[in-house]
Amino acid sequence: MPFGNIGIGGLILILIIALIIFGPSKLPELGRAFGRTLSEFKSATRGLMNSDEEQAQQKSEAKAQEQTKPNA
């Protein structure tokens, strides 16, 4: 069952169930915690992508330097 097709009714049902389970005082805390987690995940992912790009750039620079060295 694909989860990409959750409509407005499904979202409202999920919100009502979350409200019943956690109560109105816990929902803002859960939202903040989820937001922080998502933010940390994005920054970690960005950091991994940047480090991969830097490694690829260093390899290409090293390869270019090897090609420009005269063979003695």
Side-chain angles (χ1 to χ4, degrees):
M1 180 168 113
F3 292 106
N5 294 331
I6 296 177
I8 299 293
L11 289 175
I12 291 173
L13 181 65
I14 291 171
L15 209 62
I16 290 172
I17 291 172
L19 187 61
I20 290 170
I21 292 174
F22 297 112
S25 62
K26 279 283 190 186
L27 283 181
E29 285 181 38
L30 291 173
R32 276 192 289 277
F34 180 72
R36 277 189 234 117
T37 302
L38 190 60
S39 173
E40 289 176 14
F41 178 76
K42 282 183 178 180
S43 66
T45 304
R46 223 177 271 127
L48 286 174
M49 291 176 65
N50 288 342
S51 68
D52 287 345
E53 289 173 1
E54 288 174 2
Q55 287 178 354
Q57 185 179 9
Q58 288 174 354
K59 285 182 182 179
S60 66
E61 288 174 357
K63 191 178 263 189
Q65 286 178 354
E66 286 178 7
Q67 290 176 353
T68 58
K69 283 184 183 178
N71 291 335

